Amino acid sequence: MLSEDLSKIILSASSEIEQTGTLPDDLLQVAYEEQLFKLFLPKELGGRALSLPDAAHVFKDTSFNDGSFGWLTTIGSGGNLFLENMTEAQAKELYLPANAVIAGSGYATGKAHAEKNGYRVSGKWRFCSGAPYASMFTANTIIWRDGKETDEMRACIFMPDQVEIVEDWNAMGLKGTGSHTIRVKDAFIPHDRTFSVIETQNALGLPVHSFPFVQFSQVSFAAVCLGLGARFLEEAHKLIEQAKSRWDAEKIAGTVSLLEEQQERFNLAEQLFHNAVERRWDMHLNGSLDDHELDQLSAVCMESSDIATDCAVQLFRRLGMQAVLETSPVNRAFRDLWTAGQHGFLNRS
């Protein structure tokens, strides 16, 4: 799904992404031009209007080239899912700019005190991937009325000048995602810049916008893990080839055999994943997607990410000291894969 030229651009920026903790400006510009943060927006809003199966290939391919870039492509595009929840006027205003991209959080860790025509909001939200360059932020809040907490929850849309970014993302992997905490203090948010994730307010949506959100997210993050798993296996192959002059014949034979075994496991999991996504997407389009099929899709997504991670685990200890260096590509793929797989939608516990 990616051109060879785009893949080269991403790969060439990979070290800088890791070192600086965010995307360099020139790569951001490429992402805007390629509409990588608008995969699920209609063409009238400058989007690519992709199906979920096609987008899964994009997420996998971008993650193969650079884990942080792939994660940010996935998260940035995922923000498109709020399109129908906004008023039509707000959706067009906020999504139409070429550099439109959401960062935010689904955790309801903010308070929104109801006022005339809007809300007075304060709160803090963690793990907001893409925070350094987001054109807008969304975060869930609990509504307070007349000084009392209610059971109502609404998402608020913040502009960058209303948000303080607390640079606290210090994870073992996906270091370039800028997944920082955001803080908002006493910001007024007009009512039309809030929304409910269960309410539709316009007719701009595509078929993907009615696909169940949990499985949409599982497909997206599993695709990232598969891209990173493929990258790990490729880098492991390179490292083994380089080590053949140093290792004895028995170690070479054993490690090559293990690599081939794990590659076969991975290839099967990858194919099953794409087949499962295609099947459920077709069922979604013809109106026959039911809870059983969704449960099966969830299981496939978690299993495929588990297999990708386990393949890396099985091989890692056989790769020698080069693999433990953080500057090693195989090390970074390993760290990024472990970090991506920790997302709650993929974690069975």
Side-chain angles (χ1 to χ4, degrees), residues 45 85 88-89 99 101 106 134 139 156 160 169-171 175 209-210 240-241 244 249-250 259 291 340 346 348:
L45 294 179
N85 304 123
E88 182 169 346
N99 66 343
V101 59
C156 293
W169 177 243
N170 189 28
K175 290 181 176 292
H209 292 97
S210 56
I240 293 167
E241 287 297 311
K244 283 183 176 180
E250 183 178 357
L259 174 62
D291 288 343
L346 296 178
R348 295 177 188 274

Side-chain angles (χ1 to χ4, degrees), residues 212-230:
F213 179 74
V214 169
Q215 285 76 22
F216 166 88
S217 301
Q218 290 171 326
V219 168
S220 300
F221 297 136
V224 172
C225 290
L226 287 169
L228 285 165

Side-chain angles (χ1 to χ4, degrees), residues 104-163:
S105 171
Y107 295 108
T109 54
K111 295 181 179 180
H113 293 268
E115 296 185 356
K116 183 178 180 181
N117 301 321
Y119 303 90
R120 185 69 56 178
V121 180
S122 294
K124 185 169 69 172
W125 298 266
R126 300 183 70 190
F127 308 134
C128 299
S129 300
Y133 57 80
S135 64
M136 55 185 139
F137 297 81
T138 61
N140 283 329
T141 62
I142 300 298
I143 303 301
W144 287 60
R145 299 185 189 280
D146 300 321
K148 297 181 180 180
E149 182 178 356
T150 73
D151 59 0
E152 182 183 356
M153 183 174 72
R154 291 189 72 80
C156 293
I157 305 169
F158 306 114
M159 295 295 99
D161 61 0
Q162 296 176 303
V163 171

